[in-house]
Every structure is written in structure tokens, then in C-alpha cells.
Amino acid sequence: NAGVTQTPKFRILKIGQSMTLQCAQDMNHNYMYWYRQDPGMGLKLIYYSVGAGITDKGEVPNGYNVSRSTTEDFPLRLELAAPSQTSVYFCASAAGERNIQYFGAGTRLSVL
Amino acid sequence: AQSVSQHNHHVILSEAASLELGCNYSYGGTVNLFWYVQYPGQHLQLLLKYFSGDPLVKGIKGFEAEFIKSKFSFNLRKPSVQWSDTAEYFCAVPNNAGNMLTFGGGTRLMVKP
């Protein structure tokens, strides 16, 4: 059982480039989340989705976009990468009941 | 909005020492509480959870946490830590709508062999 799969694991971008971080889950979870983790700052919620076709902003959505065309996939898009987006990004999913979230292995992104 | 405070940012212990990590949350009605652990280079994993019932919750690897409603606290404890417990620990609570988690800033634990 793969759980939550994130690709790529590492990426270096130049300022102004764009990229999509992929996230897929095979647990048929309705809820999916994108977080960023910065040293000493815990996890900040970027966007979340409660089901296919439904997305909403979290705490730090600026500079990011998401889509949820299927239950399984929840890609995160960076349109114009900035150094402030250097971080580790985690995707998570939950069945919706009681909020037990399952996390992917993360994507470490550097914007130079 | 819910908020979560973890007071200890860095903790260094020797093996066999006892551990207690603080977590306080703001009131938000029905309370579900979580502790997640992130071992070096790995993703977050659920350590234990509280939904209702016995306020003393036991999790994996000998960890436990006690929900004290009057203090809005959910402190994590372990009687005797091991080197393999070196990790970052996060407390989390759902928001009022129950559709997302708010995480504390994390406590980085280092256990010296």
C-alpha cells in the first residue's frame, strides 16, 4: 500500500521559473492538504481540498495554486518561483473523520 | 481560530532520562488532539491521538499523553528515552470546522547516547 506519494523528492528552481509538485494517494481519502515546513516554524497550511473539484486556501496560499480533478491527485503549482518559497513541502490526506492525516515523504525545494 | 503552543523548541536529554513536552491549545469546543513525530529525514507519522474517554492516551514506542481540560494541555511524556527517539515532535488540533489541523511550532528532541 503506497499511501501518499510525492514527486519529486528534491528540486532546484531559478527565480521566476514554474513547477508543479505532484501528490497522489491511494487510500480513497476525500481530504487532501499541502503544507510547507520551515525551520522552527512548524507546518503551515497552503491549500486544502475536501473532495474532487473543491479546494480552499489555507494559512499561506500566496504564490501557489492547486487543483483537484480526481480524488487521488492534488498537485501544487508554483507559477513564479521566489526565494521565499524555498522550503520542504508535505502533502497529506485524511479520510475526513477525526482528521488523522497521513503524510507523504516531502519535496525539498530550493529557489535560487 | 484554534492555536497551538509548544513551549520547548529544543530539548536535549541523555538516554534513560524522562521526557515531558508541553502542548497548550486554545479552546474550540469538542477537542481532538494529536501528537506527530518526524524522525530525521522522514515524513510526519502519527504518534498518538485523543478523541474522547480516558484522558491518558498511550501511543507507539512507549509514549503517552495526558489531556487536562482545565489547563488546555496535552503534554507528551515518556519515562525513559532512547537515542532512537531523536526527532521533532508536533502537537496538533483540528480547527472549529474540523476540516484541517493546526500544528504547533514543533519541539526538536536530541537524545545523547
Side-chain angles (χ1 to χ4, degrees):
Chain A
N1 197 354
V4 179
T5 303
Q6 289 184 239
T7 56
K9 287 186 170 25
F10 305 94
R11 185 72 185 269
I12 299 175
L13 286 181
K14 294 182 180 178
I15 294 171
Q17 285 186 318
S18 62
M19 77 163 294
T20 299
L21 282 67
Q22 301 291 345
C23 176
Q25 52 92 9
D26 61 0
M27 297 175 281
N28 202 33
H29 285 170
N30 285 325
Y31 289 68
M32 294 188 75
Y33 306 86
W34 273 107
Y35 296 91
R36 59 177 288 169
Q37 183 182 30
D38 300 301
M41 302 295 289
L43 279 81
K44 302 294 185 185
L45 183 66
I46 305 170
Y47 270 95
Y48 69 100
S49 168
V50 300
I54 307 169
T55 62
D56 209 344
K57 296 178 180 179
E59 188 178 356
V60 290
N62 291 344
Y64 306 94
N65 275 302
V66 293
S67 59
R68 184 94 184 271
S69 56
T70 67
T71 299
E72 294 78 19
D73 300 298
F74 190 42
L76 177 72
R77 179 89 178 154
L78 282 71
E79 291 293 350
L80 290 169
S84 61
Q85 293 177 305
T86 294
S87 188
V88 181
Y89 292 84
F90 287 100
C91 178
S93 73
E97 52 209 56
R98 311 265 187 137
N99 262 290
I100 298 174
Q101 295 188 13
Y102 298 86
F103 285 80
T107 295
R108 187 174 294 273
L109 176 68
S110 294
V111 182
L112 305 175
Chain B
Q2 278 281 20
S3 65
V4 182
S5 297
Q6 292 182 241
H7 315 296
N8 318 101
H9 298 294
H10 292 91
V11 174
I12 301 174
L13 295 173
S14 298
E15 276 194 315
S18 63
L19 170 71
E20 181 161 2
L21 303 182
C23 172
N24 287 92
Y25 62 93
S26 59
Y27 178 71
T30 301
V31 179
N32 298 329
L33 296 156
F34 302 84
W35 276 98
Y36 280 83
V37 60
Q38 186 179 27
Y39 297 104
Q42 296 189 28
H43 61 282
L44 276 79
Q45 307 170 43
L46 184 66
L47 193 58
L48 50 79
K49 61 188 183 295
Y50 170 79
F51 290 153
S52 63
D54 189 344
L56 185 61
V57 178
K58 296 196 183 296
I60 60 173
K61 301 185 180 185
F63 284 91
E64 64 181 30
E66 185 174 12
F67 169 52
I68 302 179
K69 188 175 181 180
S70 61
K71 295 184 178 181
F72 303 106
S73 70
F74 190 54
N75 292 354
L76 182 70
R77 299 195 294 247
K78 185 170 183 178
S80 176
V81 294
Q82 301 172 311
W83 175 79
S84 58
D85 294 324
T86 294
E88 191 159 14
Y89 294 82
F90 295 93
C91 184
V93 298
N95 66 342
N96 291 339
N99 56 9
M100 67 178 74
L101 287 178
T102 299
F103 285 84
T107 297
R108 194 177 294 272
L109 171 67
M110 178 183 292
V111 181
K112 297 184 294 183

